[in-house]
Every structure is written in C-alpha cells, then in structure tokens.
C-alpha cells in the first residue's frame, strides 16, 4: 500500500477525520472495511471504537476552534453540546463525562445544556 495511489490519497482525509487506520487489504480483520477500486481491493480501513471516535471528534473540534474547548464561552459550549448530541456522542458509554472533561464543566452542566435544548 503506497500513499501515492490516487484512490488512497482521496480517502485518506476521510479515514483520518474518523480516526481510522489504513492498512493493506490482506491484513484486514473481520471488523475492517476493505475498499475496492475497479474491482481490485486497494486498502482496508480499521474503524475506531466509538469511545475513541468521541475523543477524536473533540480533538478535531478543539483544533477548529484554535483553543481548548474549556476556554469557550457558555453559548459556544451549548452549541458544541448540541452538535455532539446530533452526532450521537452521548450514546457512547461515558460520553457525558468525556465531553464534560473536555469542556471543563461538570456532568450536571452538560445535562443542563442537553435538557435546555429539549425544553426549547
């Protein structure tokens, strides 16, 4: 698997954004996704565990903000919690705790942000 193949170069940003790992198709395990191009297996993608995905999403959000998520104002944190809820972040075990830690707030505050959205 060489990084200069056009197909691999095309899918790499997506795999990276998901926190996945690319490997040769012959090293694919039963849970990996093998991608084919023009009938030939080109690359296998190992998807992250859900909890790892949440950490990866939070890190990407922090990079986009250009500062720690804990430094955001309350309104921005509420919007971030809504965005994460839409992406299913709170279906992950310990999702509320993970997000609360990243935002520098308590679990209770995250639940308040979630309940506020449901009440409006």
């Amino acid at each position: 698997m060489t990084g200069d193949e056009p197909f691999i170069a095309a899918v790499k940003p997506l795999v990276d954004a998901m926190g996945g790992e690319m490997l040769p198709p012959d090293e694919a395990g039963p849970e990996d996704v093998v991608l084919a191009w023009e009938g030939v297996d080109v690359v296998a993608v190992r998807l992250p565990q859900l909890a790892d995905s949440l950490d990866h999403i939070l890190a990407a959000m922090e990079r986009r903000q250009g500062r720690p998520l804990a430094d955001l104002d309350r309104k921005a944190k509420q919007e971030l919690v809504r965005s994460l809820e839409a992406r299913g972040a709170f279906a992950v075990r310990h999702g509320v705790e993970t997000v609360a830690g990243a935002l520098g707030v308590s679990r209770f505050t995250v639940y308040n942000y979630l309940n506020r959205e449901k009440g409006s």
Side-chain angles (χ1 to χ4, degrees), residues 18-19 47-58 92:
M18 301 183 321
L47 300 172
Q49 298 298 311
L50 286 176
D52 295 336
S53 292
L54 180 54
D55 289 335
H56 193 78
I57 289 167
L58 289 166
V92 176

Side-chain angles (χ1 to χ4, degrees), residues 96-120:
V96 170
E97 292 86 347
T98 301
V99 171
L103 295 179
V105 300
S106 69
R107 291 180 330 157
F108 180 75
T109 298
V110 172
Y111 283 118
N112 277 342
Y113 291 168
L114 291 167
N115 289 332
R116 181 175 313 236
E117 177 64 18
K118 288 179 175 64
S120 53

Side-chain angles (χ1 to χ4, degrees), residues 19-98:
E21 176 187 353
M22 297 171 73
L23 49 138
D26 60 344
E27 293 180 20
E31 300 297 316
D32 297 330
V33 178
V34 177
L35 302 177
W37 181 253
E38 296 180 346
V40 177
D41 291 346
V42 177
V43 65
V45 177
R46 181 157 296 151
L47 300 172
Q49 298 298 311
L50 286 176
D52 295 336
S53 292
L54 180 54
D55 289 335
H56 193 78
I57 289 167
L58 289 166
M61 290 177 150
E62 193 165 88
R63 281 192 303 278
R64 262 196 308 272
Q65 295 291 332
R67 59 186 167 158
L69 297 177
D71 291 349
L72 298 175
D73 64 27
R74 187 171 140 224
K75 185 174 192 270
K77 288 179 182 180
Q78 289 171 335
E79 290 171 3
L80 191 130
V81 166
R82 280 195 294 276
S83 171
L84 289 168
E85 182 181 29
R87 294 176 81 170
F90 302 111
V92 176
R93 186 170 184 210
H94 302 297
V96 170
E97 292 86 347
T98 301

